[in-house]
Amino acid sequence: MSLTDILSPSDIAAALRDCQAPDSFSPKKFFQISGMSKKSSSQLKEIFRILDNDQSGFIEEDELKYFLQRFECGARVLTASETKTFLATADHDGDGKIGAEGIKLFKYR
């Protein structure tokens, strides 16, 4: 399964266009524009599985900086500031990584 099986390619493209400039990425806005905020819990779990590059069950900071590239290989890398902000927002237990439950937070923010 790929992200385009769950999300519209045009919505993904619009979300990526919105955050092309460095330090313009907003997780909440990206989730809204891409359609992720409207997905069910099971769909979000599948998206999380796809985004979890090493299949560890968590998205760590090293993986998170490449978040946009999981949607399109030519997309930019998140800046250090964007990565830290994204991690802090979704890391609900403070362990330095995001579990599947952390991704679901953006559905409600």
Side-chain angles (χ1 to χ4, degrees), residues 1-7 9 12 46-47 49-50 70:
M1 182 170 280
S2 73
L3 289 169
T4 56
D5 292 330
I6 304 167
L7 301 171
I12 291 171
E46 183 59 26
I47 291 169
R49 189 193 63 72
I50 294 167
R70 302 296 290 160

Side-chain angles (χ1 to χ4, degrees), residues 38-92:
K38 297 176 187 168
K39 298 302 174 186
S40 69
S41 292
S42 63
Q43 289 170 311
L44 286 174
K45 281 183 182 180
E46 183 59 26
I47 291 169
F48 180 87
R49 189 193 63 72
I50 294 167
L51 295 174
D52 180 11
N53 196 42
D54 64 3
Q55 299 299 297
S56 67
F58 298 95
I59 299 175
E60 295 88 2
E61 189 171 347
D62 285 344
E63 289 174 302
L64 198 57
K65 67 182 173 182
Y66 299 105
F67 177 80
L68 298 177
Q69 291 183 350
R70 302 296 290 160
F71 291 87
E72 181 181 278
C73 64
R76 71 178 182 86
V77 174
L78 294 179
T79 65
S81 175
E82 290 170 320
T83 302
K84 289 190 184 313
T85 300
F86 193 177
L87 183 61
T89 304
D91 178 13
H92 67 280

